Amino acid sequence: MKIPSFLDAKKRNKCKTSIIRNYIVDNKYINIGLNKKYFIRTYGCQMNERDSETISGILEQMGYEKVYNYMDADLVLLNTCAIRENAHNKVFGMLGRLKNLKESKDIVIGFCGCMAQEKDVVEEIINNKKFVDFVIGTHNINELPRIISECGDDRIIEVLSNSDYIIEDMPSKRESKYKAFVNISYGCDNFCTYCIVPYTRGKEKSRLKEDIINEVKELVNKGYKEVTLLGQNVNSYGKDLGYSFTELLREVSDTGIERLKFVTSNPWDFKLEIIDLMVNRKNIVPYIHLPVQSGSNSILKSMGRKYTREQYIELVNNIRNRVKGCSITTDIIVGFPNESDEDFKFTLDLVNKCKFDGAYTFIYSPRFGTPASLIEDCVSFVEKEERLSDLNKLINKYSLESNEKLLDKVVSVLIDNKSDKDNMYVGYTDTNKLINVKCDYNCIGKILDVKVTCAKSWSLYGEVL
Ligand code: 5AD
Ligand code: SF4
């Protein structure tokens, strides 16, 4: 049994990252899943979605077949998220349903992802969730075949606090044939005081540029239209290797992929040369997700964010002035410990100045082991809820305004999937706006010119020209 420790996760050694290549599922495991079905539920961010694609790839090499209803599965995996308390609650709710299912059916239940890196969660599973057959952390999903083969009468708990290696060439079953996520770095060294990610995902490690470029080239050859480069902080990509994100972005753009995106950008590492590149390269889409978290300088300081509201606003203005039609979205936390009314007003004021195209907004959720969770807080939850509601109203107003500007305009849309509305398909504009388009099945996977006919706060409607 290997259980993680936050103290270990905090130790960041300067040890060079090693790369493990040519991963294969050992022959002795490849028949374990024959005639068996697996179900995987993914909670949280795109990083987890990408990990689930890798997990699915491994399971399918073991012979398992994917199903979309957990009631039909022989193996159920929960790929969990730890970012806020409500993510925890959803996972524990699902575990309750799985416990019931296991009473009527012989299934294997596996627990992985960020919650598996939390010591208290693992202990809860060990002591009170005896129906969970194995727990595997974020650093060792390569060990999945062995762990599945070994778990039976014994439960297996294998979680590493950190890792100094990157495993290349893992199998992967991508969810889409047109849009792909490509990891460029793993982990985070920023330690914003509210955030659990640096503990659950470990130290920041960049993939080699050549490996990323080769992966994108392969996707282009397979007909993929869109690539999103993924990292907790894309702008610090390459610091450990001696090259920059700008260099990487330029070279990925050279592969000729039709649409290139990147998330998540960090305001204090954001180099202006990225803006130049966005202006000059047609395939880098005009969309930037730039989490601000708060509009108050004193809260930004206690959050450990290394910029001021003035610097952030200047950056947003710079992007808007230079990258035509660029859509900028953000993340905002309300109710950080001891956030005053005045601090909150600074946040509203920043939103008024930046006029975001969209935002994800959250009530602060204390995470065990993070510095902010130790701060005594004098703000009531009701007050925090009121602030969230006021903030959301303002965010909705600006996202509607931004969408209305597109009315009667022609936008470029990658059609993704059938919508639940009749004769409608869902797609995304190059500015990452969700749009329902009247078209037919043959349009899926194509980038089309669409005329916008209706604009709502969180979506657009349109017709193919
Ligand atoms: N409480 C609330 N929101 C959080 N986020 C990260 N940690 C917390 C927390 N403890 C939000 C941030 C981040 C997004 C992914 O989740 O806004 O950008
Ligand atoms: Fe968390 Fe800050 Fe790292 Fe983002 S940059 S993952 S908010 S610690």
Side-chain angles (χ1 to χ4, degrees):
M1 199 173 282
K2 291 182 200 160
I3 306 183
S5 144
F6 266 11
L7 281 176
D8 291 350
K10 258 185 182 165
K11 284 184 209 144
R12 301 274 136 133
N13 57 34
K14 290 263 182 269
C15 172
K16 204 169 162 263
T17 305
S18 46
I19 309 226
I20 300 173
R21 292 188 184 279
N22 304 323
Y23 173 91
I24 48 161
V25 174
D26 199 290
N27 257 340
K28 62 184 178 226
Y29 304 128
I30 58 174
N31 285 329
I32 288 180
L34 275 190
N35 303 319
K36 290 192 185 148
K37 299 188 166 65
Y38 77 96
F39 168 88
I40 182 160
R41 175 155 294 168
T42 311
Y43 298 84
C45 66
Q46 289 140 330
M47 207 56 90
N48 268 14
E49 281 178 38
R50 180 72 193 114
D51 280 353
S52 286
E53 291 182 340
T54 306
I55 292 170
S56 296
I58 294 176
L59 294 177
E60 297 200 4
Q61 286 206 350
M62 294 171 72
Y64 284 97
E65 183 195 332
K66 185 166 186 153
V67 287
Y68 294 87
N69 183 343
Y70 67 90
M71 308 282 257
D72 300 330
D74 303 286
L75 167 67
V76 177
L77 260 169
L78 301 186
N79 190 5
T80 61
C81 167
I83 199 105
R84 283 171 293 275
E85 186 61 32
N86 57 2
H88 267 219
N89 297 343
K90 279 191 212 157
V91 170
F92 280 114
M94 182 66 182
L95 279 181
R97 290 193 285 283
L98 291 178
K99 180 174 186 246
N100 293 339
L101 181 63
K102 198 161 179 167
E103 278 159 14
S104 61
K105 195 180 165 195
D106 190 17
I107 53 167
V108 173
I109 300 176
F111 192 96
C112 57
C114 290
M115 280 171 74
Q117 296 294 139
E118 293 182 280
K119 193 165 182 266
D120 50 338
V121 170
V122 176
E123 279 167 0
E124 167 69 10
I125 291 176
I126 293 171
N127 298 326
N128 299 320
K129 309 274 180 237
K130 300 222 155 76
F131 54 94
V132 173
D133 297 282
F134 66 87
V135 179
I136 179 171
T138 55
H139 298 290
N140 55 339
I141 51 182
N142 55 310
E143 297 286 359
L144 200 55
R146 177 183 56 74
I147 290 176
I148 294 177
S149 85
E150 284 175 5
C151 81
D153 294 338
D154 288 337
R155 306 166 73 200
I156 305 213
I157 315 285
E158 282 197 22
V159 183
L160 311 177
S161 301
N162 228 323
S163 84
D164 287 320
Y165 54 85
I166 288 178
I167 305 177
E168 289 294 344
D169 317 319
M170 290 230 263
S172 150
K173 182 187 159 72
R174 293 192 183 269
E175 283 296 315
S176 164
K177 292 195 186 79
Y178 322 104
K179 306 198 314 185
F181 294 127
V182 172
N183 295 106
I184 63 167
S185 58
Y186 302 96
C188 181
D189 286 343
N190 283 332
F191 289 98
C192 299
T193 59
Y194 51 84
C195 187
I196 201 165
V197 170
Y199 308 91
T200 59
R201 289 281 170 178
K203 74 170 189 179
E204 188 175 285
K205 294 172 292 185
S206 302
R207 283 180 75 195
L208 291 183
K209 203 165 58 179
E210 297 72 30
D211 289 325
I212 299 167
I213 306 285
N214 286 341
E215 185 174 339
V216 176
K217 279 184 180 160
E218 207 177 292
L219 290 164
V220 172
N221 288 339
K222 284 184 179 156
Y224 277 79
K225 299 280 165 61
E226 180 180 296
V227 157
T228 304
L229 304 179
L230 277 188
Q232 302 296 348
N233 172 6
V234 290
N235 309 86
S236 63
Y237 167 80
K239 271 188 186 160
D240 46 343
L241 299 172
Y243 39 72
S244 72
F245 178 58
T246 318
E247 264 177 87
L248 174 77
L249 195 61
R250 186 180 302 115
E251 289 187 35
V252 177
S253 159
D254 286 341
T255 61
I257 183 77
E258 279 184 64
R259 274 187 178 190
L260 179 55
K261 294 188 201 172
F262 49 91
V263 285
T264 294
S265 296
N266 218 320
W268 70 81
D269 287 327
F270 197 102
K271 299 259 171 11
L272 296 181
E273 38 190 66
I274 297 286
I275 304 182
D276 294 335
L277 209 53
M278 291 179 78
V279 172
N280 294 324
R281 300 292 177 117
K282 257 182 77 188
N283 60 351
I284 305 179
V285 297
Y287 162 66
I288 295 177
H289 184 61
L290 194 67
V292 66
Q293 313 299 3
S294 169
S296 148
N297 281 338
S298 87
I299 296 291
L300 286 173
K301 198 161 176 225
S302 355
M303 286 177 159
R305 307 279 295 177
K306 301 179 195 90
Y307 52 89
T308 61
R309 56 181 271 117
E310 291 77 18
Q311 286 166 329
Y312 183 91
I313 294 167
E314 191 186 330
L315 176 59
V316 165
N317 287 338
N318 228 323
I319 297 168
R320 288 216 195 279
N321 289 339
R322 307 258 338 266
V323 186
K324 206 172 139 260
C326 189
S327 138
I328 302 179
T329 57
T330 197
D331 292 344
I332 299 175
I333 299 175
V334 299
F336 186 80
N338 302 324
E339 179 190 65
S340 66
D341 270 339
E342 208 192 0
D343 290 320
F344 179 60
K345 281 193 190 119
F346 274 125
T347 296
L348 295 179
D349 180 70
L350 181 134
V351 172
N352 280 323
K353 292 200 162 76
C354 294
K355 300 184 171 50
F356 294 108
D357 297 81
Y360 299 99
T361 55
F362 313 99
I363 291 184
Y364 166 73
S365 169
R367 308 314 295 131
F368 178 78
T370 58
S373 69
L374 304 173
I375 306 174
E376 211 176 312
D377 188 7
C378 65
V379 189
S380 74
F381 195 73
V382 175
E383 233 169 309
K384 296 184 185 202
E385 283 181 314
E386 279 166 12
R387 285 181 192 165
L388 183 70
S389 153
D390 290 349
L391 175 63
N392 283 343
K393 276 185 209 136
L394 197 62
I395 294 290
N396 287 348
K397 174 183 147 204
Y398 286 116
S399 73
L400 182 62
E401 264 180 27
S402 130
N403 282 350
E404 280 175 340
K405 276 191 206 143
L406 295 176
L407 267 177
D408 297 324
K409 299 252 161 56
V410 176
V411 290
S412 158
V413 177
L414 172 54
I415 308 284
D416 215 5
N417 239 318
K418 179 93 189 68
S419 133
D420 45 13
K421 300 177 183 70
D422 276 349
N423 299 324
M424 292 291 230
Y425 288 77
V426 188
Y428 283 87
T429 64
D430 55 356
T431 49
N432 207 44
K433 289 175 189 279
L434 178 75
I435 178 160
N436 295 284
V437 183
K438 220 183 249 176
C439 57
D440 62 47
Y441 186 80
N442 296 324
C443 296
I444 292 184
K446 294 192 176 137
I447 296 180
L448 302 173
D449 284 339
V450 172
K451 185 170 172 187
V452 178
T453 52
C454 170
K456 302 196 171 174
S457 248
W458 287 100
S459 60
L460 298 165
Y461 288 77
E463 287 169 6
V464 177
L465 273 192

